[in-house]
Coordinates of all heavy atoms in Angstrom, one line a residue:
K628 N 64.5 -40.3 62.0 CA 64.1 -40.2 63.4 C 65.2 -40.8 64.2 O 66.0 -41.7 63.7 CB 62.8 -41.0 63.6 CG 61.7 -40.5 62.7 CD 60.4 -41.3 62.9 CE 59.3 -40.8 62.0 NZ 58.1 -41.7 62.2
P629 N 65.3 -40.5 65.5 CA 66.3 -41.1 66.4 C 66.3 -42.6 66.4 O 67.3 -43.3 66.4 CB 66.0 -40.5 67.8 CG 65.4 -39.2 67.5 CD 64.6 -39.4 66.2
E630 N 65.1 -43.2 66.2 CA 64.9 -44.7 66.2 C 65.5 -45.3 64.9 O 65.5 -46.5 64.8 CB 63.5 -45.1 66.4 CG 62.5 -44.4 65.6 CD 61.8 -43.2 66.2 OE1 62.5 -42.4 66.9 OE2 60.6 -43.0 66.0
D631 N 65.8 -44.5 63.9 CA 66.5 -45.0 62.7 C 68.0 -45.2 63.0 O 68.7 -45.8 62.1 CB 66.3 -44.0 61.6 CG 64.9 -43.9 61.1 OD1 64.1 -45.0 61.1 OD2 64.4 -42.8 60.9
T632 N 68.5 -44.8 64.1 CA 69.9 -45.0 64.4 C 70.3 -46.5 64.4 O 69.6 -47.3 65.1 CB 70.3 -44.4 65.7 OG1 70.1 -42.9 65.6 CG2 71.7 -44.7 66.1
A633 N 71.2 -46.9 63.6 CA 71.6 -48.3 63.5 C 72.8 -48.4 62.5 O 73.1 -47.5 61.8 CB 70.4 -49.1 63.0
L634 N 73.3 -49.6 62.5 CA 74.3 -50.0 61.5 C 73.5 -50.6 60.3 O 72.7 -51.5 60.6 CB 75.3 -51.0 62.0 CG 76.5 -51.4 61.2 CD1 77.3 -50.2 60.8 CD2 77.3 -52.5 61.8
Y635 N 73.6 -50.0 59.2 CA 72.8 -50.4 58.0 C 73.7 -51.3 57.1 O 74.8 -50.9 56.7 CB 72.3 -49.2 57.2 CG 71.2 -48.5 57.9 CD1 71.3 -47.8 59.1 CD2 69.9 -48.6 57.3 CE1 70.2 -47.2 59.7 CE2 68.8 -48.0 57.9 CZ 69.0 -47.3 59.1 OH 67.9 -46.7 59.7
Y636 N 73.1 -52.4 56.7 CA 73.8 -53.4 55.8 C 73.0 -53.5 54.5 O 71.7 -53.5 54.5 CB 73.8 -54.7 56.5 CG 74.5 -54.8 57.8 CD1 73.9 -54.7 59.0 CD2 75.9 -55.1 57.8 CE1 74.5 -54.8 60.2 CE2 76.6 -55.3 59.0 CZ 75.9 -55.1 60.2 OH 76.6 -55.2 61.4
C637 N 73.7 -53.8 53.4 CA 73.0 -54.3 52.3 C 73.4 -55.7 52.1 O 74.5 -56.2 52.5 CB 73.3 -53.5 51.0 SG 75.0 -53.5 50.4
A638 N 72.5 -56.5 51.4 CA 72.8 -57.9 51.2 C 72.2 -58.3 49.9 O 71.3 -57.7 49.4 CB 72.1 -58.7 52.4
A639 N 72.7 -59.4 49.3 CA 72.3 -59.9 48.0 C 72.0 -61.3 48.0 O 72.6 -62.1 48.7 CB 73.4 -59.6 47.0
D640 N 70.9 -61.7 47.3 CA 70.6 -63.1 47.2 C 69.7 -63.2 45.9 O 69.5 -62.3 45.2 CB 69.8 -63.6 48.4 CG 69.9 -65.1 48.6 OD1 69.2 -65.8 47.9 OD2 70.7 -65.5 49.5
A641 N 69.1 -64.4 45.7 CA 68.3 -64.7 44.5 C 67.1 -63.7 44.5 O 66.6 -63.3 45.6 CB 67.8 -66.1 44.5
P642 N 66.6 -63.4 43.4 CA 65.5 -62.4 43.3 C 64.3 -62.7 44.1 O 63.6 -61.8 44.6 CB 65.2 -62.4 41.8 CG 66.5 -62.8 41.1 CD 67.1 -63.8 42.0
F643 N 64.0 -64.0 44.3 CA 62.7 -64.3 45.0 C 62.8 -63.9 46.5 O 61.8 -63.8 47.2 CB 62.5 -65.8 45.0 CG 63.4 -66.7 45.7 CD1 63.4 -66.8 47.1 CD2 64.5 -67.3 45.1 CE1 64.3 -67.6 47.8 CE2 65.4 -68.1 45.7 CZ 65.3 -68.3 47.1
R644 N 64.0 -63.6 47.0 CA 64.1 -63.1 48.4 C 63.3 -61.8 48.6 O 62.9 -61.5 49.7 CB 65.6 -62.9 48.8 CG 66.4 -64.2 49.0 CD 65.9 -64.9 50.2 NE 66.7 -66.2 50.4 CZ 66.3 -67.2 51.1 NH1 65.2 -67.1 51.8 NH2 67.0 -68.3 51.2
C645 N 63.2 -61.0 47.6 CA 62.4 -59.8 47.7 C 61.0 -60.0 47.2 O 60.7 -59.6 46.1 CB 63.1 -58.6 47.0 SG 62.3 -57.0 47.3
S646 N 60.3 -60.8 47.9 CA 58.9 -61.1 47.6 C 58.2 -61.1 49.0 O 58.8 -61.4 50.0 CB 58.7 -62.4 46.9 OG 59.2 -63.5 47.7
H647 N 56.9 -60.9 49.0 CA 56.1 -60.9 50.2 C 56.1 -62.2 50.9 O 56.0 -62.3 52.1 CB 54.7 -60.4 50.0 CG 54.7 -58.9 49.6 ND1 54.8 -57.9 50.5 CD2 54.5 -58.3 48.4 CE1 54.8 -56.7 49.9 NE2 54.6 -57.0 48.6
H648 N 56.4 -63.3 50.2 CA 56.4 -64.6 50.8 C 57.6 -64.7 51.7 O 57.6 -65.4 52.8 CB 56.5 -65.7 49.7 CG 56.5 -67.1 50.3 ND1 55.4 -67.7 50.8 CD2 57.6 -67.9 50.4 CE1 55.8 -68.9 51.2 NE2 57.1 -69.1 51.0
Y649 N 58.8 -64.1 51.3 CA 60.0 -64.3 52.1 C 60.3 -63.1 53.0 O 61.0 -63.2 54.0 CB 61.2 -64.6 51.2 CG 61.1 -65.9 50.6 CD1 60.6 -66.2 49.3 CD2 61.6 -67.0 51.3 CE1 60.5 -67.4 48.8 CE2 61.6 -68.3 50.7 CZ 61.0 -68.5 49.5 OH 61.0 -69.8 48.9
W650 N 59.9 -61.9 52.6 CA 60.3 -60.7 53.3 C 59.6 -60.8 54.7 O 58.4 -61.2 54.8 CB 59.8 -59.5 52.6 CG 60.1 -58.2 53.3 CD1 59.2 -57.4 54.0 CD2 61.4 -57.6 53.4 NE1 59.8 -56.4 54.5 CE2 61.1 -56.4 54.2 CE3 62.6 -57.8 52.9 CZ2 62.2 -55.5 54.5 CZ3 63.7 -57.0 53.2 CH2 63.4 -55.8 54.0
P651 N 60.3 -60.4 55.8 CA 61.6 -59.7 55.9 C 62.7 -60.7 56.3 O 63.6 -60.3 57.0 CB 61.3 -58.7 57.0 CG 60.4 -59.4 57.9 CD 59.6 -60.3 57.1
S652 N 62.7 -61.9 55.8 CA 63.7 -62.8 56.2 C 65.1 -62.3 55.8 O 65.3 -61.6 54.8 CB 63.5 -64.1 55.4 OG 64.7 -65.0 55.5
D653 N 66.1 -62.5 56.7 CA 67.4 -62.0 56.4 C 68.3 -63.1 55.9 O 69.6 -63.1 56.0 CB 68.0 -61.3 57.6 CG 68.2 -62.2 58.8 OD1 67.8 -63.4 58.7 OD2 68.8 -61.8 59.8
E654 N 67.8 -64.1 55.3 CA 68.6 -65.3 54.8 C 69.1 -64.9 53.5 O 68.9 -65.6 52.5 CB 67.7 -66.5 54.8 CG 67.2 -67.0 56.1 CD 66.4 -68.3 56.1 OE1 66.0 -68.7 55.0 OE2 66.1 -68.8 57.1
Y655 N 69.9 -63.9 53.4 CA 70.6 -63.5 52.2 C 72.1 -64.1 52.3 O 72.7 -64.1 53.4 CB 70.7 -62.0 52.2 CG 69.4 -61.3 51.7 CD1 68.2 -61.5 52.3 CD2 69.4 -60.6 50.5 CE1 67.1 -60.9 51.9 CE2 68.3 -59.9 50.0 CZ 67.1 -60.1 50.7 OH 65.9 -59.5 50.3
E656 N 72.6 -64.4 51.1 CA 73.9 -65.1 51.1 C 75.0 -64.1 51.2 O 76.0 -64.4 51.9 CB 74.0 -65.9 49.8 CG 75.3 -66.7 49.7 CD 75.3 -67.7 48.6 OE1 74.3 -67.7 47.8 OE2 76.3 -68.4 48.4
Y657 N 75.0 -63.0 50.6 CA 76.1 -62.1 50.6 C 75.8 -60.8 51.3 O 74.7 -60.2 51.2 CB 76.5 -61.7 49.1 CG 76.7 -62.9 48.3 CD1 75.8 -63.4 47.4 CD2 77.9 -63.7 48.4 CE1 76.0 -64.5 46.6 CE2 78.1 -64.8 47.6 CZ 77.2 -65.2 46.7 OH 77.4 -66.4 46.0
W658 N 76.7 -60.3 52.1 CA 76.5 -59.2 53.0 C 77.7 -58.2 52.9 O 78.9 -58.6 52.8 CB 76.4 -59.6 54.5 CG 75.1 -60.3 54.7 CD1 74.8 -61.7 54.5 CD2 73.9 -59.8 55.3 NE1 73.5 -61.9 54.8 CE2 73.0 -60.8 55.3 CE3 73.6 -58.5 55.8 CZ2 71.7 -60.6 55.8 CZ3 72.3 -58.3 56.2 CH2 71.4 -59.4 56.3
G659 N 77.4 -56.9 53.0 CA 78.4 -55.9 53.2 C 78.8 -55.8 54.7 O 78.2 -56.5 55.5
R660 N 79.7 -54.9 55.0 CA 80.1 -54.7 56.4 C 79.3 -53.7 57.1 O 79.5 -53.5 58.3 CB 81.6 -54.4 56.4 CG 82.5 -55.5 55.9 CD 83.9 -55.3 56.1 NE 84.8 -56.4 55.7 CZ 86.1 -56.4 55.9 NH1 86.7 -55.4 56.4 NH2 86.7 -57.5 55.5
G661 N 78.5 -52.9 56.4 CA 77.7 -52.0 57.1 C 78.2 -50.5 57.1 O 79.4 -50.3 56.9
T662 N 77.2 -49.6 57.3 CA 77.6 -48.2 57.4 C 76.7 -47.6 58.5 O 75.5 -47.9 58.6 CB 77.4 -47.4 56.0 OG1 77.8 -46.1 56.2 CG2 75.9 -47.5 55.6
Q663 N 77.3 -46.8 59.4 CA 76.6 -46.3 60.5 C 75.8 -45.1 60.3 O 76.3 -44.1 59.7 CB 77.6 -46.0 61.7 CG 77.0 -45.5 62.9 CD 76.1 -46.5 63.7 OE1 76.5 -47.7 63.7 NE2 75.0 -46.1 64.2
V664 N 74.5 -45.2 60.7 CA 73.6 -44.0 60.6 C 73.2 -43.6 62.0 O 72.7 -44.5 62.8 CB 72.3 -44.3 59.8 CG1 71.3 -43.2 59.9 CG2 72.7 -44.6 58.4
T665 N 73.5 -42.4 62.4 CA 73.2 -41.9 63.7 C 72.3 -40.7 63.6 O 72.7 -39.7 62.9 CB 74.4 -41.5 64.5 OG1 75.3 -42.7 64.6 CG2 74.0 -41.1 65.9
V666 N 71.1 -40.7 64.2 CA 70.2 -39.6 64.1 C 70.1 -39.0 65.5 O 69.5 -39.6 66.4 CB 68.8 -40.0 63.6 CG1 67.9 -38.8 63.4 CG2 68.9 -40.8 62.3

C-alpha cells in the first residue's frame, strides 16, 4: 500500500528482543543502512 512507503532497516540484537515483552522496541544494537521501498 502507499502507506508502506518508507526506508526499511534490519537490525540485530539478543534473541529476547523479539518477544512480546520487548516488541516493538527499536533498542537493537546493530543496524543496516536501509533500503527504500516506494509504493
Side-chain angles (χ1 to χ4, degrees):
K628 304 176 180 181
E630 52 263 41
D631 295 318
T632 295
L634 187 61
Y635 282 70
Y636 301 90
C637 66
D640 204 284
F643 68 81
R644 287 290 178 199
C645 187
S646 63
H647 290 285
H648 180 76
Y649 288 95
W650 180 258
S652 169
D653 63 356
E654 294 181 354
Y655 281 61
E656 184 169 2
Y657 306 104
W658 290 82
R660 294 188 176 184
T662 184
Q663 179 67 39
V664 172
T665 303
V666 185

